[in-house]
Amino acid sequence: MNEVKLLFRKDLWVLKNNILLILRNPARLLPYAGLIGYFFFIYTMRMKDRAERLDNTIPELDVNGLPEVDFATQNIVGGITVVALGFLLYQLFRATKRNVSFFTMADVNLLFTGPVKPQNILLYYKGRSILPSLGGSIIFLVYGGSQMAGSFDFSLGNIVFILLGFALFFFILSPIRFLIYTLHTKYDILEQIKTVITVLAVLLAIMILIPGLMAEKFWQGMFSWIASPWFDLFPFVGWSRGMMGYVVHQNLILAFAFLGLYILSYYLIVRLVIQFAGYYYEDVLEATKSNEVQRDKVKGKRENSEANYSLNAKKQLALPDFGVGAKAFYWRNYVHSSRQDFHPLFGVYSLILAGLGVVFAVLSHFDWFSHKVLNGYILGILGFYFLAGIGRASVGDLKKPYFFLAPATWTAKFWNVIKLDLVQITLFAVAMIVPSVLIAGLHILVIPVFILGILLAYMIGLCINLIPQISLEQGWDRKLIKPIMMIGIFLFGIIPALVLGILVFVFTKQFVWMLLTVTIGMSFVAAILIHVALDVLSRLEFKEEN
């Protein structure tokens, strides 16, 4: 017991030091205060509309006088559940590859060498790992609650069960992964574990396919089983959904029953881990080192290795001469892309994403899916490449010394660094959107608008992350300015474009005009950011990083 008290006291000292750092420079909290203010504003606006919505809501009845099935709500609930199930299966599969760690290298150097029982350290850090999950659930509640305040009553009980349902799901994953890896290393049951995960994935796919085929239209029935109340009994995913569903069903006994199942599961998992883990120090050391490296990369202390993403690293190449000067950057990216994937211009990942779009188009053509699914996938691809642009600024030539020393103009160097990305994105966009539009019978204007929109989304994401990285030298300046910059771009650029697109869709009922409106709005944002990025690049001087 005294050992646990010492560990708790250590964390209190760490918390105290972090609070003192914030008090020395309170300006660091300004971006987060602005974000909370924005969510509070949205929350109050939603609450004003709630009473009017409730007064004007009349349930729709079918010919038999029974309430009609709300397919939109069913598909939303089912879709979110499927995403959670996919995440659960992914985490279970990851557990067969590498262990999970609750520690940092400071813990390894301080605690693992000290006279503390390994079981006590593991128990304490397992319990403490719920704090990040609670923090994430609070962020989710602040954002999601501000958007849904007009539809739900956020009383104390509703808030508590939403937080617990969200937090416990992510909290329980780490102990499960730790147990799976422990059992694998001790009993060599990797193949059996993989078989169980595969069978579970197949069963879940069948639970979507069978009701979809039985329904009049596939999209009306595909989530009817997964979205049904009995699926709340499914471990972890269903339990969290049942707890968060307290907002709707208001069944206190049922919500506490799911909470009890979580507590019982956690107790059993911890007992099994303590029984089988033994002296686990060596098992978690590699995972702890890997986590430390990833944290350093996020903070900018280390650069990401492009070899981490290579699928064909040992491929023998025979490439033509691309030229000199800034073209060397394009040549280098072409070489890397040739080793990263099976073709430098169109790889496996692009083929999978394009294939999914074509599959959605085929299913919508035969009325298995509504066109809304394909439209949503198109918008999701735009968001995906926006995130890809943000990630691109921290990988590759943009932070290397020879980018500054190469004898060429800044504009030529910048465009040759990203030229291959733009070619790959264009080829992917054409391969996906052309057959999808022709098969699904969408408006032909979707083709050029989508191609332009995906390029703009990538450039916006690239510039958002690139500008503060190359213009600010101090790490704390980047941490302060980058959130403010992103909030400003979203509030005054991206969100207005999305709102205008939604308004256009409401009036025209045509997805193509919505996509065109959003693309036009994004073009103004991209033009401004590209101009700023080129201006900042032209003012750079070569300096060693601090």
Side-chain angles (χ1 to χ4, degrees):
M1 190 65 183
N2 291 330
E3 295 173 344
V4 175
K5 288 182 179 179
L6 288 174
L7 293 172
F8 182 68
R9 188 175 181 182
K10 175 188 73 71
D11 286 338
L12 288 180
W13 278 105
V14 173
L15 177 62
K16 178 183 177 182
N17 292 335
N18 289 332
I19 294 175
L20 291 176
L21 285 175
I22 293 174
L23 293 178
R24 290 174 186 173
N25 189 5
R28 296 171 181 172
L29 297 176
L30 290 178
Y32 306 101
L35 193 63
I36 293 174
Y38 168 74
F39 291 147
F40 179 76
F41 172 74
I42 298 297
Y43 178 84
T44 54
M45 295 298 294
R46 294 288 189 272
M47 288 299 295
K48 290 180 181 179
D49 298 336
R50 183 167 181 257
E52 296 180 3
R53 291 184 181 180
L54 293 177
D55 293 339
N56 297 329
T57 300
I58 301 176
E60 297 183 2
L61 305 178
D62 59 14
V63 293
N64 298 319
L66 299 175
E68 290 187 347
V69 177
D70 188 351
F71 293 111
T73 302
Q74 173 182 283
N75 288 342
I76 291 174
V77 173
I80 295 175
T81 304
V82 168
V83 171
L85 290 169
F87 183 76
L88 174 63
L89 293 175
Y90 172 70
Q91 293 297 326
L92 295 178
F93 184 77
R94 281 187 64 192
T96 63
K97 299 295 184 181
R98 60 188 295 269
N99 199 4
V100 65
S101 177
F102 306 95
F103 312 101
T104 64
M105 289 305 298
D107 298 323
V108 171
N109 297 326
L110 177 64
L111 299 177
F112 287 9
T113 58
V116 183
K117 291 183 179 180
Q119 292 84 353
N120 290 341
I121 297 176
L122 184 61
L123 284 174
Y124 177 78
Y125 276 85
K126 271 180 177 291
R128 197 190 70 167
S129 65
I130 196 174
L131 296 178
S133 300
L134 281 174
S137 65
I138 291 174
I139 295 175
F140 165 77
L141 181 63
V142 170
Y143 177 76
S146 64
Q147 302 295 325
M148 298 183 296
S151 303
F152 300 103
D153 179 22
F154 285 94
S155 62
L156 179 61
N158 292 344
I159 292 175
V160 168
F161 282 112
I162 289 176
L163 289 177
L164 290 177
F166 191 88
L168 289 176
F169 173 70
F170 290 97
F171 164 69
I172 203 72
L173 292 177
S174 294
I176 294 174
R177 289 179 57 191
F178 195 95
L179 176 61
I180 291 176
Y181 190 84
T182 300
L183 294 175
H184 161 53
T185 55
K186 191 165 186 177
Y187 297 106
D188 193 21
I189 55 173
L190 177 61
E191 293 303 323
Q192 292 87 331
I193 295 174
K194 286 185 176 180
T195 301
V196 172
I197 297 173
T198 303
V199 170
L200 183 59
V202 172
L203 291 176
L204 292 174
I206 292 174
M207 292 179 63
I208 296 175
L209 186 62
I210 291 178
L213 295 175
M214 293 172 60
E216 181 180 354
K217 293 184 178 180
F218 184 83
W219 65 271
Q220 293 179 347
M222 59 182 180
F223 293 138
S224 60
W225 287 3
I226 289 181
S228 62
W230 63 264
F231 198 81
D232 291 346
L233 300 176
F234 190 90
F236 310 124
V237 175
W239 300 347
S240 288
R241 195 180 75 177
M243 292 175 63
M244 299 174 73
Y246 177 78
V247 177
V248 178
H249 58 67
Q250 293 294 304
N251 191 327
L252 192 62
I253 297 177
L254 187 61
F256 272 113
F258 290 128
L259 178 60
L261 288 173
Y262 260 117
I263 296 173
L264 179 61
S265 299
Y266 178 70
Y267 173 77
L268 294 176
I269 292 171
V270 169
R271 291 286 298 180
L272 292 173
V273 168
I274 295 299
Q275 180 178 349
F276 295 113
Y279 288 93
Y280 55 87
Y281 290 162
E282 185 177 349
D283 291 339
V284 302
L285 183 59
E286 182 181 354
T288 304
K289 289 181 178 179
S290 178
N291 293 342
E292 198 80 9
V293 170
Q294 292 299 324
R295 277 192 288 267
D296 288 343
K297 289 178 180 179
V298 171
K299 294 178 180 179
K301 296 180 181 179
R302 301 191 189 188
E303 292 185 358
N304 288 314
S305 173
E306 295 181 349
N308 293 340
Y309 307 102
S310 295
L311 298 177
N312 206 11
K314 297 182 180 179
K315 181 179 180 181
Q316 298 296 322
L317 302 176
L319 301 176
D321 185 10
F322 281 47
V324 296
K327 294 181 180 179
F329 295 112
Y330 177 66
W331 176 86
R332 183 181 183 278
N333 290 337
Y334 196 92
V335 171
H336 167 66
S337 182
S338 300
R339 290 198 171 103
Q340 184 184 35
D341 218 326
F342 294 97
H343 193 277
L345 300 180
F346 200 88
V348 174
Y349 300 126
S350 299
L351 182 63
I352 293 173
L353 292 176
L356 285 175
V358 174
V359 168
F360 289 143
V362 172
L363 294 176
S364 65
H365 177 75
F366 291 103
D367 288 333
W368 280 32
F369 281 155
S370 169
H371 281 333
K372 294 179 182 178
V373 176
L374 178 59
N375 296 341
Y377 183 74
I378 290 174
L379 295 177
I381 289 294
L382 295 181
F384 174 80
Y385 274 90
F386 168 77
L387 297 176
I390 291 179
R392 180 64 176 86
S394 60
V395 178
D397 296 308
L398 295 175
K399 298 180 68 178
K400 301 292 178 64
Y402 47 77
F403 179 74
F404 303 93
L405 302 177
T409 63
W410 292 107
T411 303
K413 288 188 285 188
F414 177 71
W415 287 112
N416 274 277
V417 165
I418 64 173
K419 178 181 176 181
L420 183 62
D421 295 340
L422 299 181
V423 172
Q424 291 173 336
I425 293 171
T426 303
L427 291 176
F428 159 75
V430 171
M432 191 199 86
I433 199 64
V434 171
S436 298
V437 168
L438 297 179
I439 293 172
L442 300 181
H443 197 289
I444 198 66
L445 190 60
V446 172
I447 295 176
V449 173
F450 174 75
I451 296 173
L452 177 61
I454 197 172
L455 293 172
L456 293 174
Y458 175 80
M459 291 304 301
I460 291 174
L462 177 70
C463 293
I464 284 177
N465 207 23
L466 175 65
I467 292 171
Q469 281 197 32
I470 62 179
S471 61
L472 302 174
E473 298 180 6
Q474 298 297 325
W476 275 111
D477 291 336
R478 289 195 292 266
K479 291 181 180 179
L480 177 64
I481 297 300
K482 185 177 176 180
I484 296 177
M485 179 180 172
M486 291 189 68
I487 292 171
I489 291 172
F490 271 92
L491 289 181
F492 303 106
I494 297 177
I495 291 180
L498 293 174
V499 171
L500 286 176
I502 293 173
L503 291 176
V504 169
F505 181 78
V506 169
F507 286 109
T508 63
K509 304 296 182 182
Q510 294 289 326
F511 174 75
V512 61
W513 306 122
M514 170 188 173
L515 185 63
L516 178 61
T517 304
V518 173
T519 303
I520 292 174
M522 290 170 55
S523 65
F524 289 104
V525 179
I528 295 172
L529 291 178
I530 292 172
H531 175 76
V532 174
L534 292 175
D535 184 65
V536 171
L537 281 172
S538 65
R539 300 172 187 271
L540 276 182
E541 296 180 2
F542 176 65
K543 296 180 181 179
E544 293 185 0
E545 294 187 3
N546 295 330

